[in-house]
Amino acid sequence: MTTEPRAAPPVAPAPPRWAVKPVRQLTAGELAEALGYLERHRPDDDVLGRALAGELARRTAAAEFARRAADRVPPPCAPDAGGRPRA
Protein backbone atom coordinates (compact mmCIF):
# COMPACT_ATOMS: atom_id res chain seq x y z
CA MET A 1 0.00 0.00 0.00
CA THR A 2 1.31 3.45 -0.89
CA THR A 3 1.21 6.33 1.54
CA GLU A 4 1.98 8.98 -1.09
CA PRO A 5 -0.77 11.51 -1.78
CA ARG A 6 -2.70 11.03 -4.99
CA ALA A 7 -2.45 13.55 -7.76
CA ALA A 8 -5.43 15.85 -8.09
CA PRO A 9 -7.65 15.11 -11.08
CA PRO A 10 -7.07 17.47 -14.00
CA VAL A 11 -9.19 20.58 -13.91
CA ALA A 12 -11.37 20.97 -16.99
CA PRO A 13 -11.30 24.44 -18.49
CA ALA A 14 -14.37 26.53 -17.83
CA PRO A 15 -16.81 26.54 -20.76
CA PRO A 16 -17.02 29.76 -22.78
CA ARG A 17 -19.71 32.21 -21.67
CA TRP A 18 -21.73 31.53 -24.80
CA ALA A 19 -21.91 27.81 -24.01
CA VAL A 20 -24.38 28.30 -21.16
CA LYS A 21 -26.71 30.78 -22.88
CA PRO A 22 -29.79 30.02 -25.01
CA VAL A 23 -29.16 30.62 -28.72
CA ARG A 24 -31.50 33.62 -28.86
CA GLN A 25 -29.55 35.39 -26.10
CA LEU A 26 -26.18 35.11 -27.84
CA THR A 27 -24.66 38.21 -29.38
CA ALA A 28 -23.62 38.14 -33.03
CA GLY A 29 -20.00 37.84 -31.95
CA GLU A 30 -20.80 34.93 -29.66
CA LEU A 31 -22.73 33.21 -32.46
CA ALA A 32 -19.74 33.53 -34.78
CA GLU A 33 -17.40 32.26 -32.06
CA ALA A 34 -19.69 29.32 -31.32
CA LEU A 35 -19.86 28.41 -35.02
CA GLY A 36 -16.07 28.46 -35.24
CA TYR A 37 -15.76 26.30 -32.14
CA LEU A 38 -18.34 23.87 -33.46
CA GLU A 39 -16.57 23.61 -36.80
CA ARG A 40 -13.26 22.78 -35.08
CA HIS A 41 -14.47 20.45 -32.35
CA ARG A 42 -17.83 18.95 -33.38
CA PRO A 43 -18.24 19.24 -37.16
CA ASP A 44 -20.83 16.43 -37.19
CA ASP A 45 -23.32 18.27 -34.93
CA ASP A 46 -25.66 19.38 -37.73
CA VAL A 47 -28.56 20.34 -35.48
CA LEU A 48 -26.61 22.81 -33.37
CA GLY A 49 -24.72 24.13 -36.38
CA ARG A 50 -27.95 24.83 -38.23
CA ALA A 51 -29.49 26.52 -35.20
CA LEU A 52 -26.47 28.79 -34.75
CA ALA A 53 -26.12 29.57 -38.46
CA GLY A 54 -29.85 30.24 -38.80
CA GLU A 55 -29.87 32.65 -35.87
CA LEU A 56 -26.80 34.46 -37.18
CA ALA A 57 -28.38 34.75 -40.65
CA ARG A 58 -31.66 36.02 -39.19
CA ARG A 59 -29.88 38.70 -37.18
CA THR A 60 -27.67 39.72 -40.08
CA ALA A 61 -30.69 40.09 -42.35
CA ALA A 62 -32.61 42.02 -39.70
CA ALA A 63 -29.70 44.40 -39.13
CA GLU A 64 -29.29 44.98 -42.87
CA PHE A 65 -33.03 45.62 -43.25
CA ALA A 66 -32.97 48.13 -40.37
CA ARG A 67 -29.93 49.89 -41.84
CA ARG A 68 -31.53 50.19 -45.27
CA ALA A 69 -34.83 51.37 -43.79
CA ALA A 70 -33.01 54.05 -41.79
CA ASP A 71 -31.21 55.22 -44.93
CA ARG A 72 -34.50 55.49 -46.88
CA VAL A 73 -36.57 57.48 -44.39
CA PRO A 74 -35.84 61.23 -44.49
CA PRO A 75 -35.83 63.06 -41.17
CA PRO A 76 -39.29 64.38 -40.21
CA CYS A 77 -38.20 68.04 -40.40
CA ALA A 78 -36.81 67.83 -43.95
CA PRO A 79 -38.83 69.56 -46.66
CA ASP A 80 -40.82 67.46 -49.10
CA ALA A 81 -40.15 67.39 -52.86
CA GLY A 82 -42.01 70.70 -53.33
CA GLY A 83 -39.86 72.52 -50.74
CA ARG A 84 -42.66 72.69 -48.19
CA PRO A 85 -41.90 71.64 -44.59
CA ARG A 86 -43.33 68.29 -43.58
CA ALA A 87 -46.14 68.27 -41.07
Side-chain angles (χ1 to χ4, degrees), residues 5-86:
R6 292 184 180 177
V11 177
R17 287 184 319 184
W18 52 260
V20 295
K21 288 174 144 180
V23 171
R24 291 211 178 243
Q25 291 181 359
L26 295 174
T27 64
E30 289 171 334
L31 284 166
E33 185 181 336
L35 278 167
Y37 177 88
L38 192 63
E39 184 177 311
R40 286 188 309 275
H41 299 283
R42 304 214 31 207
D44 296 335
D45 196 342
D46 290 337
V47 174
L48 182 56
R50 287 180 186 184
L52 292 170
E55 184 66 17
L56 185 59
R58 184 186 68 78
R59 291 202 195 163
T60 303
E64 179 65 16
F65 178 79
R67 186 190 63 77
R68 287 184 183 185
D71 289 347
R72 255 182 288 163
V73 177
C77 60
D80 64 7
R84 295 176 298 273
R86 295 179 184 262

